[in-house]
Amino acid sequence: MSDHIPVIHATVAGCRFVGRTTVGNRRGLLVPNTTTDLELQHLRNSLPDKVVVQRIEERLSALGNIIATNDHVALVHPDIDRETEDVIADVLGVEVFRQTVGGQALVGSYSKFTNQGGMVHPRTTQEDMEELSSLLQVPLLAGTVNRGSDVLGGGMVVNDWSAFVGLDTTSTEIGVVEKIFKLSGRGRQNQQSSIVTTMRSSLIDQLS
């Protein structure tokens, strides 16, 4: 992967599961208060200067589980501190909404969305999806990864150009991911990096 995009090796509070403890967009990256000074400086040195890296004082410290965001809107756990909500809005430059997804307060675990589209917990009602879609201003689908797992945040990393999913994800699930996040079509096939194309083909061949 490092041949195609910059890859930063990092830990947060000595742990390597950085996706569950951090959250960010093109403007900023939020890390929990357990992040050491050395780890914080390493992240700041590794990311572009325009990306603000901010340590945040929040008792719900698994930020990737309690916040879901793109470049415009953030959904957050209903019980986060008011100060945290203000920092999210300021650093990430987004509108912040306290929400649940499919009855789940861990919005970062049970939803993933980009500037192109989003996926939510499979038990999210049509009414809730329409409300969320209106807030986010992107189309939404209910879906799963890793052969039926509803913990989307634990099985998928996605941005406006590509997605990486767990090895157990089926070809049908991959098709839904590609559709809702607009990762294929619109002439984009020729623009996709060879690593994404190769990994997707390998997954489909392996699981079909």
Side-chain angles (χ1 to χ4, degrees):
M1 191 188 304
S2 59
D3 292 336
H4 302 272
I5 60 173
V7 175
I8 300 168
H9 295 272
T11 59
V12 173
C15 301
R16 291 183 291 180
F17 43 86
V18 294
R20 298 298 82 215
T21 54
T22 67
V23 68
N25 62 13
R26 66 183 176 89
R27 298 183 187 90
L29 177 70
L30 301 176
V31 299
N33 59 6
T34 51
T35 306
T36 68
D37 291 342
L38 189 61
E39 291 169 334
L40 190 66
Q41 192 59 50
H42 171 62
L43 289 171
R44 286 174 172 161
N45 291 341
S46 301
L47 292 170
D49 291 340
K50 65 180 181 180
V51 178
V52 178
V53 182
Q54 177 70 48
R55 189 157 46 194
I56 195 168
E57 297 289 333
E58 169 58 52
R59 58 192 176 81
L60 302 173
S61 60
L63 302 180
N65 289 337
I66 64 169
I67 304 166
T69 189
N70 60 15
D71 291 333
H72 308 290
V73 179
L75 303 182
V76 300
H77 191 293
D79 296 334
I80 68 165
D81 296 337
R82 176 69 194 199
E83 292 79 6
T84 299
E85 184 177 339
D86 293 339
V87 172
I88 293 168
D90 182 52
V91 173
L92 303 185
V94 294
E95 289 188 85
V96 180
F97 298 97
R98 294 173 184 259
Q99 282 286 333
T100 59
V101 175
Q104 303 287 340
L106 297 177
V107 292
S109 297
Y110 294 103
S111 69
K112 293 292 286 187
F113 58 93
T114 66
N115 300 319
Q116 305 295 328
M119 183 176 288
V120 295
H121 191 289
R123 289 192 291 276
T124 306
T125 66
Q126 186 63 36
E127 182 181 355
D128 285 348
M129 273 200 289
E130 290 174 358
E131 178 185 350
L132 290 172
S133 181
S134 178
L135 287 177
L136 301 172
Q137 292 296 297
V138 295
L140 296 178
L141 279 179
T144 59
V145 292
N146 287 328
R147 292 190 184 273
S149 171
D150 56 16
V151 186
L152 304 175
M156 173 167 55
V157 176
V158 61
N159 63 17
D160 289 341
W161 297 277
S162 61
F164 293 88
V165 294
L167 282 173
D168 288 334
T169 305
T170 67
S171 57
T172 300
E173 290 172 329
I174 291 173
V176 174
V177 170
E178 288 185 321
K179 176 182 177 181
I180 193 57
F181 292 111
K182 298 181 174 64
L183 299 177
S184 60
R186 302 190 309 171
R188 282 193 161 189
Q189 292 92 333
N190 295 331
Q191 300 176 27
Q192 290 179 322
S193 68
S194 60
I195 188 172
V196 174
T197 304
T198 301
M199 290 183 71
R200 182 173 67 247
S201 299
S202 175
L203 280 172
I204 292 174
D205 291 343
Q206 183 179 0
L207 298 173
S208 60

